[in-house]
Amino acid sequence: MRLADVPVVGDLLESGAEDRVFDSLLLVGPALILVIAVLGRSAVTIGLAAAYVLFFVAYVLYRGVRH
Amino acid sequence: MNEAARTVGRDLGRIFQALAGLLFVSILVPLVWREYYAIPGLFVSGLLPLLAGYVLTSRFRGAAQPGKLHGMIIAAMGWFCVAIFGSLPFLLIAWTVEFAPPILGDPSQTSTLAAFTNPINALFESMSGFTGTGLTMTDNEEVLPRTLQWWRSFIEWVGGVGVIVLTTAILARPGSGSLTLYESEARSERIHPSIVSTVQTIWWIFILFTFVSILLLWVVGMPIWGAINHGMTGLATGGFSITDNSIATYDSAAIDFALLPIMLLGSIAFPVHYLILQGDLRNLYADLQTRWVFIYMGIGTALLTVLVYIGDTYDSLFTAFRYGSFQFVSAATCAGFQTATDATNVALGRWPVQAQLTVVFGMVVGGAAGSTVGGIKLIRALTLLKGIRFRIADVFYPETAVRRLEINGRRLNEREVRQEFEEAAIIATLWFLFLGLGTFALLLLLPQGEYTLENVIFEVASAQGNVGLSAGITGPESLPTLGKVMFLFNMWIGRLEIIPVLVTLRAIFDRGGLYR
């Protein structure tokens, strides 16, 4: 079974900016928030969250430069 | 029953079903936070719109597609009914705690929660949430059950994009009917040729940005529950908070500055976000509204910083900039978060009058059309300014001259200019008319001498612009019942850009024989 065949997830993958990286960020987002809620604030969770935000910004800029 | 009523009934039913889904999903929150006493209230709140929706959709299944008139009536009635159903969790949970049935434990009643045993307070909170206004009937948000904290944030988040957009995305129905409804909810621009694809992409962007916002707020130091709620309401430019002093509670420059891009994201039109995510960054300055979001916020911030600095409100220029930038962006994006509160928790309580009126100006104009903000919208303000300049310059040209007005890359001929200018002028005129009426009514209703005129204008502009900053007038005790009813109307017309509500009222009065 492909990821795109999963209900809801499939619709999400079809709807967005037609870019698998953004799709992945969308799918990883809630999982990361859940991890933070469970584990609390630590160097690792701060690192993960900061990496997520920075990667999002950097990837938007990268797409812009490449465009 | 005539065909129009069948069409309206069927589509209202679909909206109610979508709302029921939101209520049932929210049952997860009391389960996680072990607020089991809130579950029956939420369940019943979801069951009622589900049943109403089921009856309406199944009874009028074969109704015709909505036209422009139906679309406006569906939008206006849909938003009002959704506010009514959305008030049920406040009302039922408050009464559950009031009665404290032994089987549901012994939750403690607070004066904040007890305010919601009054249905008008519950309806006010719900309308304020769905319209993304953020004015509140709570004295202290911190003591609300987590379930209601969530419900307030959730309805603002959904309302930011739009109840009808949600319905169209979930209960997708291709065809002209969806487009009519989409346009009736104060939206016009499309991302894809298909309206269903457009609304699905809008939600995709909104959800992704929500995760980014939540994580950004958490990284800069906000606790996770606060980050979830403020990330949702900040992006939706709603402004409900879970703390008593709004964002001022955290007293953190990092959090203040982190919220600026979040609110700005919410004030940029979704089609522009889509193009930027596609890599077309030129839209940040090439798109007229987006360019002016930055210019307008920049000018407003600079002006406000100077006003509060030379007014000796703050000691340092940096502090003046911190509060000035936050409050102008918060007002102009219609988010309504507060950082500049005084001891009485009044927004801008220490600020000079000219600074307060600068903020009012920000609220009136708002951000980009097609985003989550309220107000008149930048495109209309710019159309009015350009149209006035065009009309004045007309005198200097010979009568035979063929002139065109350029707005956002479109070259409009005389007829198109008249059409665009007329639409912008009508909405702006109505906006100021209702602002004036609201101000007059509030001056009559409030105790004489308790509030200044600028306080009253500030509060009405905040309600009608769906902003949520408060000069201290809005509250369960401080605002008279008639004032609450008037603000319900202000918030409702502000969210739908007035015309659909007036069309609906005319249709109701006309049908009831009151209009003729």
Side-chain angles (χ1 to χ4, degrees), chain A:
Chain A
M1 189 180 186
R2 294 179 308 129
L3 199 57
D5 297 330
V6 180
V8 182
V9 173
D11 293 334
L12 282 175
L13 296 182
E14 259 186 40
S15 307
E18 290 141 37
D19 183 280
R20 281 290 173 254
V21 176
F22 283 130
D23 287 339
S24 306
L25 284 172
L26 187 77
L27 296 177
V28 166
L32 190 50
I33 292 168
L34 192 66
V35 166
I36 286 168
V38 172
L39 298 181
R41 196 175 284 274
S42 70
V44 175
T45 50
I46 289 175
L48 283 172
Y52 183 94
V53 175
L54 291 175
F55 183 79
F56 170 77
V57 175
Y59 190 67
V60 171
L61 294 176
Y62 165 74
R63 293 261 294 176
V65 171
R66 207 180 62 171
H67 185 80

Side-chain angles (χ1 to χ4, degrees), chain B residues 37-65:
Chain B
Y37 61 88
I39 293 175
L42 267 186
F43 183 74
V44 173
S45 303
L47 200 59
L48 291 174
L50 183 70
L51 290 175
Y54 176 76
V55 169
L56 287 170
T57 47
S58 50
R59 183 153 181 217
F60 304 130
R61 192 178 301 279
Q65 291 285 316

Side-chain angles (χ1 to χ4, degrees), chain A residues 11-13 15-19 22-23 25-26 29-30 32-33 36-37 40-42 45-46 49-50 52-53 56 60-61 63-65 67, chain B residues 192 197 200-204 207-212 214-224 228 265 274 276-282:
Chain A
D11 293 334
L12 282 175
L13 296 182
S15 307
E18 290 141 37
D19 183 280
F22 283 130
D23 287 339
L25 284 172
L26 187 77
L32 190 50
I33 292 168
I36 286 168
R41 196 175 284 274
S42 70
T45 50
I46 289 175
Y52 183 94
V53 175
F56 170 77
V60 171
L61 294 176
R63 293 261 294 176
V65 171
H67 185 80
Chain B
H192 305 293
S197 299
Q200 285 175 343
T201 303
I202 286 175
W203 274 103
W204 185 96
I207 293 169
L208 176 63
F209 285 5
T210 304
F211 295 146
V212 174
I214 291 169
L215 290 166
L216 175 62
L217 288 176
W218 186 77
V219 165
V220 295
M222 199 179 272
I224 187 67
I228 290 171
L265 278 178
Y274 177 75
I276 289 169
L277 291 179
Q278 291 281 331
D280 197 352
L281 297 184
R282 281 176 311 154

